[in-house]
Amino acid sequence: MQFLQTLDGLLEHIKTVEYETIVLTREAQLRMVRFIEKNKMTLDDETLEAMQYQDIVAQQLNATIEAIESAQEQMQHFMHVFRHDDQTAAQSIEKMQGKLTCALEKAKEKHSAFSGKVNREDDEDGIEFF
Amino acid sequence: MPLVIFVDDSETALASTRMVTDSMPITVKQYLSAVDALNEIKGGMVPDLIITDMNMPVMNGFEFLQGVRANASTARTPVLMLTTETRDELKAQGKALGLTGWVVKPFNPAQLKQAISRVLRLA
């Protein structure tokens, strides 16, 4: 029980750090953009492509925050049951394990879905007309 | 000049597209919310091209596309999805909803310019 409470606290901390990372990287990016636009600077294509990474990083972190919140919800449900009913708690452990596994699988799917062309080995140009 | 609207809930993503399209002979309007963009369209704005993100809160790219297609004056307006999503089933769904094309982030700036020029038939 104490273990789960500690784990819940650790997950909350990770969520906070991730959220702060999103905010800080966004602010850093926007300040750079303001400087570039104010000084009418022209960037090359490679740099313009790199300027898009913050958006991808933010989406990835948001997806892991969602996964953490889903896991925390299951853990909190289990802790509530454990406090009130020992017999049901045993069944709840199995259910919690299943739901945590499900949360992990969803998080991995989103990691793949939100990566865009980053981490892909193929050399497609990424634009497709229907 | 042709009107191109960008819809994305990320300020940094909009900034990236703005820097790419700055030198093009087009008028650009940007929206952080698909709801706001759709309201302007319903209010009479007729863009020549719409480029929208997929994953957005409140109204996602597909819901926005359906709203655009349901509006008589934009029923045939070209719409490109600009997204990190690469899943084939989503592309097929977009195509069925009347999407013009799919652009994966991070986009190559030269290729995005070419895609816009191609859709708008710019010289």
Side-chain angles (χ1 to χ4, degrees):
Chain A
M1 198 62 175
Q2 182 66 40
F3 161 73
L4 280 179
Q5 281 168 349
T6 307
L7 184 58
D8 187 48
L10 180 63
L11 290 174
E12 194 61 37
H13 172 69
I14 292 170
K15 250 170 53 182
T16 304
V17 172
E18 287 190 321
Y19 179 72
E20 286 173 359
T21 304
I22 292 171
V23 172
L24 276 175
T25 55
R26 183 177 60 216
E27 183 57 29
Q29 179 88 7
L30 289 174
R31 284 188 196 185
M32 277 191 282
V33 168
R34 280 196 290 272
F35 179 80
I36 290 162
E37 292 186 328
K38 185 181 162 192
N39 292 285
K40 296 183 170 41
M41 294 167 76
T42 305
L43 305 182
D44 62 11
D45 280 5
E46 203 179 11
T47 311
L48 278 170
E49 199 165 325
M51 295 290 282
Q52 301 168 59
Y53 291 168
Q54 190 280 333
D55 177 38
I56 291 170
V57 168
Q59 285 195 57
Q60 295 284 3
L61 292 179
N62 271 319
T64 61
I65 287 172
E66 276 178 35
I68 287 172
E69 282 172 348
S70 172
Q72 280 182 305
E73 197 180 313
Q74 299 311 319
M75 284 165 48
Q76 278 156 11
H77 175 72
F78 171 76
M79 285 191 280
H80 175 79
V81 171
F82 190 83
R83 277 190 207 104
H84 294 89
D85 186 344
D86 284 354
Q87 199 176 1
T88 320
Q91 295 166 349
S92 282
I93 289 176
E94 276 184 40
K95 279 188 187 170
M96 182 178 72
Q97 189 177 354
K99 287 184 174 172
L100 288 178
T101 305
C102 182
L104 178 62
E105 281 168 5
K106 274 189 189 168
K108 284 181 176 174
E109 273 174 27
K110 284 192 174 180
H111 178 252
S112 173
F114 294 166
S115 289
K117 284 195 295 172
V118 177
N119 299 331
R120 277 177 60 177
E121 286 175 7
D122 58 46
D123 197 26
E124 286 176 27
D125 62 18
I127 298 184
E128 190 177 326
F129 283 99
F130 300 133
Chain B
M1 283 203 286
L3 173 62
V4 179
I5 73 163
F6 284 89
V7 184
D8 200 309
D9 62 316
S10 160
E11 276 183 82
T12 59
L14 287 179
S16 299
T17 55
R18 194 166 63 239
M19 287 193 283
V20 169
T21 55
D22 250 4
S23 58
M24 297 186 77
I26 56 175
T27 301
V28 171
K29 275 191 160 187
Q30 299 192 314
Y31 296 88
L32 282 163
S33 146
V35 174
D36 291 347
L38 192 57
N39 282 339
E40 285 222 29
I41 286 169
K42 285 178 178 171
M45 179 177 69
V46 185
D48 297 286
L49 170 62
I50 296 169
I51 301 180
T52 181
D53 184 24
M54 174 71 213
N55 296 304
M56 295 182 284
V58 187
M59 181 184 282
N60 70 30
F62 283 160
E63 290 163 341
F64 175 58
L65 174 63
Q66 285 174 305
V68 167
R69 290 288 174 254
N71 187 63
S73 59
T74 52
R76 298 173 69 85
T77 301
V79 180
L80 296 175
M81 193 66 77
L82 178 57
T83 176
T84 54
E85 294 276 8
T86 55
R87 285 177 284 178
D88 287 338
E89 61 266 31
L90 286 178
K91 290 181 187 177
Q93 197 181 341
K95 191 177 174 183
L97 290 170
L99 204 59
T100 310
W102 196 276
V103 184
V104 179
K105 293 177 181 175
F107 58 82
N108 175 298
Q111 287 171 347
L112 181 67
K113 281 183 189 178
Q114 279 172 12
I116 293 171
S117 297
R118 174 177 160 177
V119 172
L120 296 175
R121 294 184 174 85
L122 299 175

